[in-house]
Amino acid sequence: MMWFPNPTTSSKLEDSFIYKIDGCDSTDIALTTLLPSSTPNDLQPCIPIVESTWQSCSAFQGDDSSPPNAIKTENMNCLTFLSSSTVGWSSSAPRTHFDPISLKYELIITSNLSLQVHATFEYSNPFANDKQSMAVRLSILKQFLCQNQELELVSTIFEDLVDDKDWKDISTDITYAENAKEIVRAVMRDKNCGQTAGSVSSKSESVDVKLGPLTNRGRIKLMYVCSNMYNYDAMSVTPDPTDIGRNKIVPLGVFLPWTKLGDASGNVEITLVVNTPSGSGVLQPSQSYNAFMHLKEQSLMKDTALIVVDKLNPDGTFLRKWHCLPPTQCCILFWLEMPVAVDDYVDVAAELEMLSTSPVTKLDIYCPTLEDTSILKVSMPGAPSPDAQLFRMKVKLPEIGRLPSTKVRSVINLNFSDASGSTGRNVMTSSSGAVMGKESKKTIRDCFNMFGERRFLKRLSSIPALLHANVLRKEDIWTDVTYAFDHGPVDTFSLTFLVGDLGDQIFVDSILIAAKATRELTDNKSTNLVDTTDAAADVVQNVMSNSTGCAIITYLKRLRMIKSNGGTDFESTADTAIHHFKSLQDDIQKLIPDPSTEPLVSTFVDFDTDGGHNGSIPSCLDAVDEMVSQYKVCNGVVYGFGDWLDQDCASKLARRIGSVPALLALHIPEPGQEGLNVVFRRGFTAWLDSLRSIPMKVIISAGAVAYTHGSRGIRHLNAIEVIALRHVKCLGSPFFSAPDVSDVHSTKAVVENLCGGDEVVFLVASRIHDPNALLRRLILDIGEEQISHVELKVQVQPEALFGCSLAHEWLRVLTSDSHSKTKEAGDLCFNSSVAVPRLLARMEDDVAFAFNLASRSGATSYLGRSNTNLDRAPIDAAHEPQDPSKTLILDSYQHGPRVKCSIRPQVQLRHRSLLVRSDEISTECRSTLRASSIEADRDSDSDCLELGCDSISFPTYMASKLKSIPRCSRSVMLDERDLKPRSNIPSATEILNGSDFLRTHASKQVGDVYATIRFSCNMLTNNSKALQFSCDFCSQKIPKYTTMFHCMSCENYNECAKCAGKHIKSHPLHVVVNHTTVNRGVALANQTQAVHVDPLLDELLGPVVTKQSPVQLKSKCNQPTFDRALEVCEQRVQYLLTSMLQWWPIVNKNYTNGRYPEALDAEMVRQIQEVLSMSQQSPETMSAKCALATTIVDSLERMAKNKKRSLN
């Protein structure tokens, strides 16, 4: 790994460090995993194409001044597993926090931007030598990868290490959740079954896993999927933007679990594997330095070590292994660039010939594999068969249809032109012979006017060819409208004429000549035709004498007169278009011979901008959606140029109005450049696509199947039931209308608001199981009253999805949250006459059990069992691990409320784990929050009041807006009745915001870390002179040479003689020993132990506490032979030494403010590697490790003595 500091001297960025990984395939534990980078001069900021020469131009609120291709953290794909584990043994006391020994994340990104995540958690039994069995419970908080894209669990595998050499695979089957819970519990308590069992259940806010009993090691392998990662269209930064529209950017941040430097939880090996599609690359820091620094400046990343992956293997893979966790929040950034398949070349003649041929509707029945076909069946009500076969059928509607002679087509071209003040800035020239970066006299506004004029004239010149190909007819109506806008409407002008008015190629050529002549006059600031040639003047006069020609020239003059003005508001111009629609309709209706005829409208949108919307993006998109629906927009293109461009807004806007990616570039292409040709070719292709689009209605059925009922005779049922449809490529929003009941024996599904060229996938349940037989009976009708001469081509194709992927697709449909009247959920549209909740639930169970997938509703769970070891001690109820989801709790410290995942829970809610937001807490709830209602439970991992505690700090979901709740140092109790219903699944931003609050103590200073490590070294070397103990019950110091009681099961819990016995009353399974504060190695003088007679009696009267001699205790109880506190101390030292090798630049930055050299001293490296290679845990080995750890702590503390920094 390499790292480089920020080269700027700005005080705002002087502490911003970004790291980059050296290589993309490394698993070595060595200093070479972190190397100093090249000099900062190698990283040059991007130079923007435009510089403001208009002095009054200033950014408005909402203007995006971020660098090209920059990203906001709230839009990133953020992957972080907020998890908590608990453990129980057959005889030792259970723990409320238990760390895995290794974590592995394998990410697979597909070309359609879906993500597969394979997460592996491996646990090791520390009491394997004592013949104790172990059971583990794992709880993982559900999360959205980005915005509303949830990570969904689709499969689970368990593994058990048998005889210390072979991993035994424990495959899982689906069963109902209650059944799985009881079976796992029975296996753990049966000493004779010799089995290992595991279960996975899904709750509303978490996924809970239980595995055991284990002898040595166990693994939990979970597979998650996300169907659509966030992406945005890339901005070209080359002077000639020939690559415009060719790439999309997918930002992925993998947040690693982390811990503090002085913690014992850091010795977790973590492996990250990423597979990307072929042809993928990564954004380079050297080329987009400003974008990386913009990301680092944002609040989420300010206290995060940002590690950039700037290189992938030739096959698009990445592999990295770390032998310990990072000592601060750490994000591995994959800023991926993925190619978009485009064809810039358009053969107009070939396109028009294709448009003139007979249209064809294609219907493909996807036939699953033989294995999937046999189980992809669901039970349906009725007869003759108890089940129905599930099929997906893709329909591609014809791109053009021949309209009946009674129909008139209205072609509308909407041109939205940004006239904000920033368009008044001059552009830089890059033409041949000019010096790059030389200022031009042209402004961005001049370029937008030129773009609009060229598009307009090119489309007019194609009208004769379109008429000749019968794509358009003379009676069709042509409308062009321009909406110039800034923070409000600037100018609106339109042009409407009959297509037949421009049917003569000679007249069209005359218009082009006149347009050129008038443009030259405008450039020369003249209005006198005498300034043109005689021939041009005659042409202009002839054109102006024609009403349509005069209207066209007048339209062009107004287009050239648009000037720059104030801010930028996309919503206002969409509203203007909506309000202008009625006026346009009136103008169009005047040209229709029969006033009762309603024209078929096809609208195309051009949107030119150099900035972003100054306001709410969702509100803006809602207005655009309304405009698209009202105008029946078929396609459109967004053109964006300049350094103020909001790529996120432009990308979302482009997807709302059409199928073409936003064409974005930092430099504005000039005439003669290939980039300008690319822009116009892409736009013209999209415009031709809009001409192929005609509103359509689809009716689909397969007739009826007859059966004989025992008492009712012959009855009929639908051969197919259409459950829903999924959008593949739709310009509008299709919906199911009332079924067609023209046939008395069957009903037909009716879908409206489809357009020519649309592609949809129907999800059907067919009582005809053979796809070839279904093909012969399938009927797909396109409304004859609108379109004629449409052929239907039906064929059977192999199903592209198979196995779990196919089943997961069906489960997403069957368990969609949208069961309202409209039955709409994103790209999914339900047929409300068929998709009733009871039928969907019935089908969900059939698919889940058939494909062994847990249902998304949580009704089913994974269950696995296997014979692994006959000699295995059972785990009774008292020793079973607790529910780990209780550690994902709402807590309140002096820094405000947060959800905490720590090594010890300090708060237990009386009801259940609650994750809430501020707007969901009622006023009554806020007024009744009680800071002292619950005392922190001093459980097996109670706080060490003076020396702190250890916790893995996962980037966590935090209710970040709950700042109005009173801040306090104790826990808060919330009543569930005070909370409004909500989905408990947090977004990625909610999980990551405020991750620095993941502290067991709210303020943990660097000095406390040093004291903790020194204390650990003194404990391990039994340095009694430097040790000072306190009673963890009364908080009083325990004098030296006096008796104290120490818990062998806790990390560091001690009691004075006065408080002796308090801990064992609340933790009867713990082992408490009596010794002096000076010598912790003496034999057990006294031992308190709870004698369990009857659980109910213990609950009513309390356990009976007796005193037994050490010999008697050992003969009756198989207790651990080592002190948990010493184990924790050893882990702290181990983590310190390992992190110095693996994460030295981060340690240097966080603990010394970067005062030490970038590379760790070679002699120090040698010493660390030498002590880490010592396998024998002898007193000499431990002394050597402690001596070296003390040296490191002294060095770090000395360098940062006068500048204490908060631990991040």
Side-chain angles (χ1 to χ4, degrees):
M1 183 183 293
M2 300 175 64
W3 73 292
F4 54 89
N6 174 31
T8 181
T9 58
S10 170
S11 59
K12 181 179 179 182
L13 301 178
E14 64 181 355
D15 292 333
S16 296
F17 279 65
I18 302 178
Y19 308 85
K20 66 177 182 179
I21 290 183
D22 180 25
C24 45
D25 192 354
S26 175
T27 59
D28 297 331
I29 176 171
L31 180 65
T32 54
T33 57
L34 284 173
L35 295 175
S37 73
S38 55
T39 60
N41 293 331
D42 293 340
L43 301 171
Q44 298 296 333
C46 297
I47 301 176
I49 181 64
V50 287
E51 293 183 356
S52 178
T53 58
W54 190 44
Q55 298 300 322
S56 60
C57 178
S58 59
F60 280 71
Q61 182 180 3
D63 281 346
D64 187 2
S65 57
S66 61
N69 295 319
I71 180 68
K72 297 178 181 178
T73 53
E74 56 264 30
N75 291 332
M76 280 184 60
N77 299 288
C78 297
L79 180 66
T80 175
F81 283 97
L82 173 59
S83 62
S84 180
S85 304
T86 59
V87 66
W89 289 277
S90 52
S91 57
S92 294
R95 298 179 189 172
T96 56
H97 189 92
F98 187 69
D99 301 320
I101 63 170
S102 69
L103 298 170
K104 182 178 181 181
Y105 303 140
E106 183 177 358
L107 282 59
I108 302 175
I109 304 172
T110 63
S111 57
N112 63 351
L113 295 182
S114 65
L115 174 68
Q116 293 183 10
V117 180
H118 300 262
T120 302
F121 298 76
E122 183 174 338
Y123 296 88
S124 179
N125 186 3
F127 299 139
N129 294 333
D130 296 337
K131 304 298 183 182
Q132 292 194 50
S133 299
M134 179 181 73
V136 176
R137 292 189 66 175
L138 170 66
S139 182
I140 304 175
L141 189 70
K142 291 182 178 179
Q143 65 163 306
F144 286 107
L145 181 73
C146 59
Q147 298 175 353
N148 294 323
Q149 297 299 322
E150 180 187 350
L151 274 177
E152 301 179 29
L153 180 67
V154 297
S155 69
T156 303
I157 297 176
F158 299 114
E159 289 183 353
D160 185 13
L161 186 63
V162 180
D163 299 330
D164 298 336
K165 57 181 180 180
D166 297 324
W167 284 100
K168 177 73 172 182
D169 179 80
I170 306 175
S171 58
T172 57
D173 297 309
I174 290 298
T175 185
Y176 289 108
E178 295 80 1
N179 184 34
K181 180 179 179 180
E182 294 300 324
I183 290 177
V184 173
R185 180 179 298 172
V187 169
M188 291 188 180
R189 297 180 183 180
D190 191 340
K191 64 179 180 180
N192 298 319
C193 69
Q195 300 176 14
T196 297
S199 67
V200 180
S201 60
S202 178
K203 297 181 179 179
S204 60
E205 70 275 359
S206 64
V207 173
D208 293 347
V209 187
K210 191 173 183 179
L211 177 63
L214 301 169
T215 302
N216 193 343
R217 291 188 181 185
R219 287 176 180 167
I220 300 171
K221 295 184 174 182
L222 306 174
M223 175 182 171
Y224 291 84
V225 297
C226 178
S227 58
N228 188 21
M229 302 176 68
Y230 171 79
N231 64 93
Y232 57 97
D233 300 319
M235 176 185 287
S236 172
V237 295
T238 58
D240 185 5
T242 56
D243 58 341
I244 190 171
R246 290 186 175 273
N247 293 299
K248 52 190 171 185
I249 297 180
V250 185
L252 173 62
V254 181
F255 285 78
L256 303 180
W258 61 281
T259 187
K260 300 182 291 292
L261 191 61
D263 285 352
S265 301
N267 298 294
V268 179
E269 183 180 271
I270 185 166
T271 304
L272 178 62
V273 181
V274 178
N275 296 274
T276 63
S278 175
S280 299
V282 288
L283 211 62
Q284 295 298 315
S286 58
Q287 298 176 359
S288 303
Y289 174 78
N290 289 339
F292 283 91
M293 289 311 305
H294 173 266
L295 177 63
K296 189 67 177 72
E297 292 171 23
Q298 298 178 54
S299 59
L300 178 62
M301 294 295 182
K302 278 187 177 180
D303 298 325
T304 299
L306 184 60
I307 301 179
V308 177
V309 176
D310 65 344
K311 181 182 179 182
L312 299 174
N313 286 322
D315 58 353
T317 60
F318 171 88
L319 169 65
R320 175 68 62 166
K321 179 185 289 185
W322 296 274
H323 293 259
C324 66
L325 301 183
T328 188
Q329 180 161 294
C330 185
C331 174
I332 312 298
L333 179 62
F334 297 85
W335 214 329
L336 300 174
E337 282 187 305
M338 300 175 62
V340 177
V342 295
D343 184 6
D344 287 336
Y345 177 73
V346 178
D347 187 338
V348 177
E351 290 282 333
L352 296 178
E353 181 180 356
M354 186 272 296
L355 291 175
S356 63
T357 59
S358 297
V360 176
T361 299
K362 297 181 180 179
L363 193 154
D364 295 334
I365 303 175
Y366 290 146
C367 180
T369 63
L370 292 177
E371 181 180 357
D372 291 341
T373 300
S374 61
I375 57 178
L376 192 60
K377 294 182 173 67
V378 294
S379 59
M380 297 287 289
S385 174
D387 55 23
Q389 188 75 48
L390 296 181
F391 288 109
R392 298 193 313 140
M393 300 190 303
K394 183 177 180 180
V395 175
K396 182 177 182 180
L397 297 177
E399 296 180 332
I400 187 64
R402 296 179 183 177
L403 297 179
S405 58
T406 57
K407 293 293 181 181
V408 175
R409 189 176 198 183
S410 174
V411 179
I412 302 177
N413 301 309
L414 301 182
N415 176 34
F416 294 91
S417 190
D418 184 354
S420 60
S422 58
T423 61
R425 296 181 295 171
N426 291 358
V427 301
M428 298 293 185
T429 62
S430 58
S431 25
S432 178
V435 179
M436 176 59 191
K438 183 179 179 181
E439 189 175 286
S440 168
K441 294 182 180 180
K442 287 184 179 180
T443 65
I444 299 176
R445 180 66 260 161
D446 295 334
C447 294
F448 282 172
N449 292 345
M450 180 268 293
F451 289 163
E453 181 176 344
R454 285 198 172 197
R455 286 195 301 259
F456 175 70
L457 293 176
K458 179 61 180 177
R459 292 168 187 172
L460 291 185
S461 65
S462 67
I463 289 179
L466 293 172
L467 285 170
H468 179 72
N470 292 324
V471 176
L472 295 177
R473 293 177 302 186
K474 293 183 178 181
E475 59 268 25
D476 292 340
I477 301 169
W478 185 289
T479 302
D480 261 280
V481 190
T482 294
Y483 298 100
F485 66 94
D486 49 17
H487 52 273
V490 172
D491 194 8
T492 300
F493 48 93
S494 61
L495 169 69
T496 303
F497 59 88
L498 289 174
V499 171
D501 293 347
L502 267 66
D504 186 0
Q505 184 66 55
I506 296 177
F507 182 59
V508 172
D509 292 341
S510 298
I511 291 177
L512 299 179
I513 295 173
K516 181 179 180 181
T518 55
R519 182 174 60 252
E520 291 175 350
L521 291 176
T522 303
D523 294 341
N524 296 328
K525 298 181 179 181
S526 172
T527 59
N528 193 346
L529 290 177
V530 177
D531 295 335
T532 64
T533 63
D534 294 339
D538 293 340
V539 171
V540 171
Q541 289 181 351
N542 290 334
V543 170
M544 296 298 291
S545 65
N546 181 283
S547 59
T548 302
C550 180
I552 291 173
I553 298 301
T554 302
Y555 182 90
L556 286 173
K557 289 181 178 179
R558 293 191 66 175
L559 181 63
R560 297 164 185 157
M561 293 173 60
I562 300 176
K563 303 298 181 182
S564 56
N565 202 11
T568 310
D569 191 334
F570 294 171
E571 184 176 357
S572 67
T573 191
D575 290 337
T576 301
I578 293 171
H579 296 149
H580 189 227
F581 181 70
K582 182 63 171 62
S583 175
L584 283 181
Q585 277 187 319
D586 294 340
D587 293 341
I588 294 171
Q589 202 68 32
K590 293 176 182 178
L591 299 179
I592 300 177
D594 184 1
S596 62
T597 302
E598 183 178 352
L600 294 179
V601 179
S602 59
T603 304
F604 187 84
V605 174
D606 296 288
F607 203 104
D608 300 331
T609 182
D610 77 327
H613 172 62
N614 301 155
S616 169
I617 299 297
S619 177
C620 164
L621 296 178
D622 288 343
V624 171
D625 287 339
E626 184 179 353
M627 183 267 295
V628 168
S629 175
Q630 189 174 54
Y631 278 86
K632 298 181 180 179
V633 174
C634 301
N635 211 343
V637 179
V638 174
Y639 306 88
F641 303 96
D643 59 342
W644 276 11
L645 188 65
D646 187 338
Q647 289 176 255
D648 174 66
C649 181
S651 300
K652 292 176 179 178
L653 181 62
R655 293 163 191 164
R656 287 299 205 281
I657 65 176
S659 57
V660 180
L663 305 181
L664 313 176
L666 182 64
H667 304 261
I668 298 181
E670 302 174 35
Q673 286 187 330
E674 179 61 23
L676 187 61
N677 295 331
V678 171
V679 170
F680 278 103
R681 281 196 295 264
R682 296 291 299 276
F684 191 80
T685 302
W687 179 73
L688 278 180
D689 288 340
S690 71
L691 294 181
R692 306 169 185 171
S693 177
I694 296 178
M696 299 179 182
K697 179 174 70 174
V698 173
I699 304 172
I700 183 171
S701 69
V705 292
Y707 70 97
T708 302
H709 190 275
S711 60
R712 303 177 62 197
I714 298 177
R715 312 301 297 172
H716 297 85
L717 290 172
N718 288 338
I720 63 170
E721 301 285 3
V722 181
I723 307 297
L725 68 82
R726 187 179 294 281
H727 309 177
V728 176
K729 177 185 175 183
C730 287
L731 297 178
S733 299
F735 61 90
F736 285 91
S737 59
D740 186 327
V741 293
S742 58
D743 185 358
V744 70
H745 296 307
S746 66
T747 60
K748 304 175 184 179
V750 180
V751 183
E752 296 192 31
N753 205 31
L754 289 167
C755 297
D758 282 359
E759 297 180 26
V760 296
V761 173
F762 287 100
L763 298 111
V764 304
S766 173
R767 292 184 171 91
I768 302 173
H769 294 184
D770 184 1
N772 293 299
L774 177 62
L775 178 148
R776 292 188 292 269
R777 296 190 52 174
L778 199 61
I779 302 172
L780 190 140
D781 183 26
I782 296 180
E784 287 294 335
E785 72 278 5
Q786 293 183 352
I787 302 171
S788 59
H789 308 293
V790 177
E791 299 179 7
L792 176 62
K793 182 179 180 181
V794 184
Q795 57 186 350
V796 177
Q797 298 283 5
E799 172 64 80
L801 302 178
F802 60 91
C804 291
S805 299
L806 178 59
H808 180 67
E809 166 67 12
W810 274 100
L811 287 178
R812 283 175 55 84
V813 174
L814 300 175
T815 58
S816 172
D817 294 333
S818 177
H819 294 317
S820 61
K821 187 69 175 177
T822 58
K823 297 291 182 184
E824 295 180 2
D827 62 346
L828 198 63
C829 177
F830 284 90
N831 185 1
S832 58
S833 65
V834 176
V836 296
R838 294 190 63 175
L839 177 61
L840 295 182
R842 183 175 182 172
M843 297 171 69
E844 175 195 356
D845 284 351
D846 289 340
V847 175
F849 279 91
F851 283 87
N852 199 39
L853 289 176
S855 62
R856 299 174 71 236
S857 64
T860 58
S861 297
Y862 289 102
L863 173 65
R865 285 194 296 157
S866 179
N867 291 318
T868 52
N869 195 332
L870 294 177
D871 185 17
R872 180 170 289 168
I875 301 175
D876 57 28
H879 290 82
E880 281 189 4
Q882 300 179 14
D883 184 1
S885 63
K886 294 180 180 179
T887 61
L888 304 177
I889 57 177
L890 180 67
D891 198 4
S892 179
Y893 286 102
Q894 60 181 353
H895 282 232
R898 58 207 175 274
V899 171
K900 185 181 70 170
C901 174
S902 67
I903 205 164
R904 61 185 61 67
Q906 296 212 353
V907 179
Q908 301 289 337
L909 290 183
R910 296 203 183 276
H911 299 285
R912 63 175 176 84
S913 175
L914 298 175
L915 306 176
V916 298
R917 293 178 178 147
S918 60
D919 55 312
E920 296 162 332
I921 299 182
S922 63
T923 304
E924 294 78 11
C925 175
R926 293 180 186 274
S927 64
T928 57
L929 290 175
R930 301 190 300 276
S932 58
S933 59
I934 308 175
E935 290 291 340
D937 179 23
R938 298 184 178 278
D939 56 8
S940 59
D941 294 305
S942 299
D943 288 341
C944 174
L945 298 179
E946 288 191 359
L947 301 174
C949 56
D950 305 315
S951 65
I952 290 183
S953 298
F954 288 86
T956 178
Y957 161 57
M958 183 186 71
S960 57
K961 296 183 180 179
L962 287 173
K963 297 181 179 179
S964 58
I965 296 180
R967 296 178 178 179
C968 52
S969 59
R970 295 191 181 182
S971 55
V972 176
M973 185 178 74
L974 298 180
D975 193 324
E976 288 180 344
R977 294 169 294 182
D978 293 323
L979 303 177
K980 300 177 183 179
R982 62 153 295 196
S983 171
N984 285 329
I985 303 177
S987 66
T989 304
E990 288 174 321
I991 292 180
L992 294 168
N993 273 340
S995 59
D996 57 316
F997 293 122
L998 261 167
R999 296 281 177 265
T1000 304
H1001 289 170
S1003 58
K1004 188 71 173 177
Q1005 301 297 325
V1006 172
D1008 298 329
V1009 173
Y1010 298 148
T1012 301
I1013 298 176
R1014 286 197 182 93
F1015 174 82
S1016 300
C1017 294
N1018 293 330
M1019 286 277 288
L1020 293 172
T1021 57
N1022 200 16
N1023 185 1
S1024 59
K1025 294 182 179 180
L1027 292 174
Q1028 174 64 57
F1029 299 98
S1030 296
C1031 177
D1032 286 290
F1033 192 85
C1034 66
S1035 301
Q1036 298 297 318
K1037 291 186 177 181
I1038 303 177
K1040 292 187 177 182
Y1041 303 101
T1042 59
T1043 299
M1044 77 172 183
F1045 293 85
H1046 174 72
C1047 180
M1048 301 281 285
S1049 304
C1050 292
E1051 291 185 2
N1052 192 27
Y1053 188 91
N1054 304 296
E1055 289 178 336
C1056 61
K1058 181 180 178 180
C1059 301
K1062 301 291 186 181
H1063 181 67
I1064 203 66
K1065 287 182 179 180
S1066 58
H1067 300 82
L1069 297 178
H1070 287 203
V1071 179
V1072 178
V1073 298
N1074 178 349
H1075 56 69
T1076 65
T1077 57
V1078 176
N1079 189 354
R1080 295 173 54 91
V1082 299
L1084 304 181
N1086 289 290
Q1087 175 70 45
T1088 57
Q1089 174 71 17
V1091 179
H1092 295 275
V1093 179
D1094 182 86
L1096 179 59
L1097 189 62
D1098 286 350
E1099 182 178 352
L1100 296 175
L1101 302 179
V1104 179
V1105 181
T1106 63
K1107 291 187 177 181
Q1108 302 180 12
S1109 66
V1111 177
Q1112 291 174 333
L1113 175 66
K1114 188 175 181 180
S1115 63
K1116 292 187 177 182
C1117 300
N1118 185 20
Q1119 298 293 348
T1121 58
F1122 61 90
D1123 190 345
R1124 169 68 175 151
L1126 295 178
E1127 180 191 33
V1128 169
C1129 292
E1130 182 179 348
Q1131 291 172 349
R1132 289 172 181 161
V1133 173
Q1134 181 78 12
Y1135 175 56
L1136 173 66
L1137 298 177
T1138 308
S1139 61
M1140 291 293 289
L1141 291 182
Q1142 295 276 271
W1143 305 101
W1144 163 246
I1146 295 179
V1147 173
N1148 186 25
K1149 161 67 170 59
N1150 286 353
Y1151 291 88
T1152 70
N1153 200 24
R1155 297 184 179 184
Y1156 274 112
E1158 296 175 340
L1160 195 59
D1161 181 72
E1163 178 60 25
M1164 178 63 71
V1165 172
R1166 186 195 63 79
Q1167 294 181 29
I1168 295 176
Q1169 291 175 335
E1170 181 179 346
V1171 296
L1172 289 178
S1173 63
M1174 298 179 180
S1175 58
Q1176 183 181 2
Q1177 296 299 322
S1178 61
E1180 293 77 13
T1181 299
M1182 190 55 61
S1183 297
K1185 289 184 177 181
C1186 291
L1188 186 55
T1190 302
T1191 301
I1192 293 174
V1193 169
D1194 291 342
S1195 301
L1196 295 177
E1197 189 175 29
R1198 182 173 61 253
M1199 186 60 69
K1201 183 176 180 180
N1202 298 324
K1203 208 170 198 180
K1204 293 185 177 181
R1205 299 176 57 86
S1206 296
L1207 183 60
N1208 294 324

